[in-house]
């Protein structure tokens, strides 16, 4: 049975609201939760971008059962990998073992703020691989001195370590990232239900490990209102990773998506209150081999009715997949 997750999307709600929403998701019966880690929203209409790690710490204290996960953190630019290791170890302690560290090579949208430029994709992946190795050494309790191609670590050691380190997930979008994930990750992360990604991950050592996908939906009893909201806040989603990872800010996403029509969004994102439409949108992930799917309800102000609908109608239907 595929597990169904809830997404705390930091781009569309403030920090206190995000914590309240994940408390509601736990109550509604979601199997796990994930949290985006952004410095900017994709579009100005989303309107938020709080610090994900503070939100996660508060969520760990406000919830009791639901697993927490970054989806995803870039440990190479805004954050140094030694600092990410410390944050993740602390989160594992605060959550009493409910945390997973999802990592990715990042987006220009968020990483440009520290002024280091935005390298080519192959350099970003090389940085990610080195960062994961540093994090693993620190999770093992080692005193780390590292002078690599991309990072220096001087006499680093974690003083508060959980009994079991957080599992590490790596986001993939192509062959090279699947190879990296297969060799270094405890689970794989993807935002598209592509069987070839799962096959490549398995082929590089990922067989039997969790596969976590993500799917945006827009619940609203008024389908036209749902479509309008999805177009307003989520029309960037269909641009694909090669585009989304490169654009530098919300204004660039506004320009890149100015010709996306409402019917384009309605054709790619389940909108309204049709449970079966969501079930059919989740099915390709299941068929591709994903073991978990995190749903994103579009609209920070529309989480409470969504959670009630999910508890009583959506989750029971998805349990039958």
């Amino acid at each position: 049975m595929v597990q169904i997750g809830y997404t705390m999307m930091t781009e569309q709600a403030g920090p206190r609201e995000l914590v309240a929403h994940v408390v509601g998701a736990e109550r509604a019966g979601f199997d796990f939760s994930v949290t985006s880690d952004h410095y900017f929203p994709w579009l100005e209409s989303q309107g938020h971008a709080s610090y994900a790690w503070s939100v996660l710490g508060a969520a760990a204290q406000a919830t009791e059962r639901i697993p927490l996960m970054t989806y995803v953190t870039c440990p190479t630019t805004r954050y140094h990998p030694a600092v990410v290791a410390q944050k993740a170890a602390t989160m594992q302690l605060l959550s009493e073992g409910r945390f997973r560290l999802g990592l990715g090579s990042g987006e220009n949208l968020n990483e440009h703020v520290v002024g280091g430029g935005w390298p080519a994709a192959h350099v970003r992946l090389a940085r990610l691989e080195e960062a994961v190795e540093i994090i693993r050494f620190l999770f093992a309790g080692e005193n780390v001195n590292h002078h690599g191609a991309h990072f220096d670590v001087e006499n680093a050691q974690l003083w508060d370590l959980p009994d079991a380190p957080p599992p590490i997930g790596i986001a993939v979008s192509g062959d090279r990232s699947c190879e990296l994930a297969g060799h270094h990750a405890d689970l794989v992360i993807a935002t598209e239900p592509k069987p070839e990604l799962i096959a490549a991950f398995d082929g590089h050592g990922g067989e039997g490990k969790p596969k976590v996908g993500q799917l945006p939906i827009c619940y609203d009893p008024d389908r036209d209102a749902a479509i309008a909201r999805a177009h307003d806040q989520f029309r960037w989603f269909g641009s694909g990773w090669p585009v989304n990872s490169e654009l530098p800010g919300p204004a660039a996403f506004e320009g890149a998506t100015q010709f996306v029509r409402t019917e384009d969004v309605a054709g790619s994102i389940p909108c309204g209150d049709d449970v079966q439409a969501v079930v059919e949108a989740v099915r390709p992930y299941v068929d591709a081999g994903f073991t978990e799917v995190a749903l994103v309800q579009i609209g920070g102000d529309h989480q409470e009715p969504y959670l009630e609908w999910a508890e009583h109608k959506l989750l029971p239907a998805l349990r039958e997949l």
Side-chain angles (χ1 to χ4, degrees):
M1 181 183 296
V2 65
Q3 293 193 319
I4 303 299
Y6 175 82
T7 300
M8 287 189 285
M9 193 170 188
T10 59
E11 305 94 291
Q12 66 176 15
R16 293 179 63 88
E17 291 74 23
L18 290 165
V19 174
H21 296 160
V22 77
V23 169
E26 180 176 70
R27 187 184 311 117
F30 281 88
D31 298 310
F32 68 100
S33 68
V34 302
T35 308
S36 59
D37 186 353
H38 271 237
Y39 204 93
F40 278 90
W42 300 96
L43 297 168
E44 287 191 14
S45 57
Q46 292 177 313
H48 295 275
S50 56
Y51 183 53
W53 290 87
S54 295
V55 173
L56 283 164
Q61 298 304 291
T63 58
E64 297 177 355
R65 171 196 60 81
I66 195 166
L68 305 164
M69 177 181 177
T70 49
Y71 202 99
V72 292
T73 285
C74 176
T76 65
T77 309
R78 271 187 301 154
Y79 308 138
H80 189 281
V83 176
V84 172
Q86 184 189 34
K87 294 193 288 190
T90 299
M91 265 304 303
Q92 185 75 322
L93 290 167
L94 286 171
S95 65
E96 299 182 295
R98 290 184 284 136
F99 181 67
R100 295 183 292 179
L101 176 61
L103 300 175
S105 58
E107 304 104 5
N108 194 9
L109 174 71
N110 302 303
E111 307 307 319
H112 76 270
V113 296
V114 295
W118 190 236
H122 72 278
V123 177
R124 302 199 300 264
L125 287 172
R127 286 182 175 182
L128 177 60
E129 186 168 24
E130 188 176 334
V132 173
E133 292 171 351
I134 292 167
I135 291 168
R136 290 281 194 199
F137 284 131
L138 289 165
F139 279 175
E142 297 186 24
N143 186 286
V144 177
N145 286 280
H146 171 92
H147 301 285
H150 303 287
F151 298 105
D152 291 308
V153 182
E154 294 282 353
N155 190 30
Q157 184 175 346
L158 299 182
W159 288 88
D160 287 284
L161 278 170
D163 293 335
I168 293 177
I170 293 179
V172 300
S173 59
D175 291 340
R176 176 67 185 100
S177 56
C178 287
E179 180 183 2
L180 192 159
H183 291 160
H184 295 283
D186 302 304
L187 57 137
V188 72
I189 295 163
T191 56
E192 296 177 281
K194 293 183 175 179
E196 59 268 28
L197 296 177
I198 300 304
F201 175 65
D202 285 347
H204 288 291
E207 191 169 358
K209 297 177 181 179
K211 286 91 173 172
V212 188
Q214 190 176 52
L215 171 71
I217 69 172
C218 195
Y219 164 76
D220 197 296
D222 183 338
R223 186 168 186 269
D224 290 339
I227 293 171
R229 186 166 71 248
H231 180 266
D232 179 52
Q233 297 190 22
F234 238 79
R235 63 185 181 274
W236 56 272
F237 188 76
S239 300
W241 195 250
V243 174
N244 289 344
S245 63
E246 300 294 339
L247 297 179
F253 280 91
E254 295 281 356
T257 60
Q258 62 181 311
F259 298 116
V260 176
R261 303 168 301 171
T262 55
E263 52 264 41
D264 299 326
V265 172
S268 61
I269 296 174
C271 295
D273 60 357
D274 184 351
V275 168
Q276 197 58 35
V278 180
V279 170
E280 292 307 313
V282 170
R283 193 179 303 280
Y285 288 87
V286 178
D287 293 343
F290 286 83
T291 58
E292 307 176 37
V293 179
L295 303 180
V296 184
Q297 161 65 356
I298 298 170
D301 296 334
H302 296 79
Q303 299 300 306
E304 287 82 1
Y306 162 70
L307 289 170
E308 183 176 355
W309 177 70
E311 178 180 3
H312 296 290
K313 294 186 177 180
L314 181 60
L315 289 176
L318 289 171
R319 301 285 183 233
E320 298 179 6
L321 266 175

